[in-house]
Amino acid sequence: VFAREVTHLCNYLRSREDDRPGWAFHRAVQHMFPDEPYRFDVYGEIEALDRITAGSLAEAHRGFVGTAPVDVFLAGDVDPARAAAKLLPLVEAGKLREPAPPEDPPCGEPLTGPIREIRESAATDQAQIVLGFRTGITRVHPLSEALSLANGVLGKDAHSLLFRTVR
């Protein structure tokens, strides 16, 4: 099973280059955030898969399961006393905690300096253009909604004014 899943993930990672818009965004992120954790792809890299064994994966999983906190959310017709009795051993073991509000991820400081242009070529019928701006605006910033609207107008997706006009 392990070898099959590694092969499946390798095939997926190789096929991402065929998704031109997604690949263009992926490459832009790598260029924009060369020294920041955001540059890493959630699925990893093909080169790293060669270093993973079934044993090392199982060991990492055990370590994660053994140390990661557990969040429990109960809703509906639940007997609080019965639920508390079941969950108390987990609380005493330090596995449960009060839910934390979502954190606004760090986005870095706005960058100033010369505009960088990066061109990569590939055999394709349609060009992909990715514009990246380091504004310092996060989801909780007062200008977040305005930035979201500007992204929609300027080409965030296929419904944008720019996409429809150019198309």
Side-chain angles (χ1 to χ4, degrees):
V1 172
F2 174 77
R4 182 181 68 227
E5 290 301 317
V6 168
T7 300
H8 176 71
L9 184 55
C10 276
N11 289 339
Y12 171 75
L13 290 171
R14 284 188 188 104
S15 73
R16 290 182 320 150
E17 211 169 323
D18 296 332
D19 169 19
R20 296 296 183 200
W23 187 251
F25 179 78
H26 171 73
R27 294 293 296 142
V29 165
Q30 288 180 323
H31 285 289
M32 283 186 68
F33 304 94
D35 301 319
E36 298 176 50
Y38 186 66
R39 76 182 182 280
F40 295 116
D41 192 288
V42 68
Y43 294 107
E45 298 174 351
I46 293 173
E47 299 78 24
L49 292 175
D50 294 337
R51 297 187 300 269
I52 299 172
T53 65
S56 68
L57 182 62
E59 183 179 333
H61 181 263
R62 279 191 300 274
F64 176 74
V65 170
T67 60
V70 176
D71 294 325
V72 177
F73 300 91
L74 303 172
D77 189 18
V78 177
D79 178 9
R82 186 171 176 204
K86 295 282 188 183
L87 297 173
L88 187 59
L90 293 172
V91 172
E92 290 171 346
K95 288 293 197 174
L96 295 181
R97 58 189 163 92
E98 289 293 320
E103 293 182 21
D104 200 32
C107 66
E109 293 296 316
L111 297 181
T112 58
I115 294 174
R116 294 188 303 152
E117 179 178 319
I118 298 160
R119 292 175 182 243
E120 294 184 359
S121 298
T124 182
D125 294 335
Q126 188 174 21
Q128 301 297 324
I129 300 172
V130 178
L131 304 175
F133 301 93
R134 296 290 298 263
T135 63
I137 295 174
T138 65
R139 291 177 298 178
V140 297
H141 192 281
L143 292 175
S144 176
E145 290 84 7
L147 181 60
S148 182
L149 177 64
N151 281 337
V153 170
L154 294 175
K156 177 180 164 186
D157 55 36
H159 304 290
S160 71
L161 178 62
L162 179 64
F163 184 91
R164 290 191 319 246
T165 302
V166 171
R167 192 79 170 168

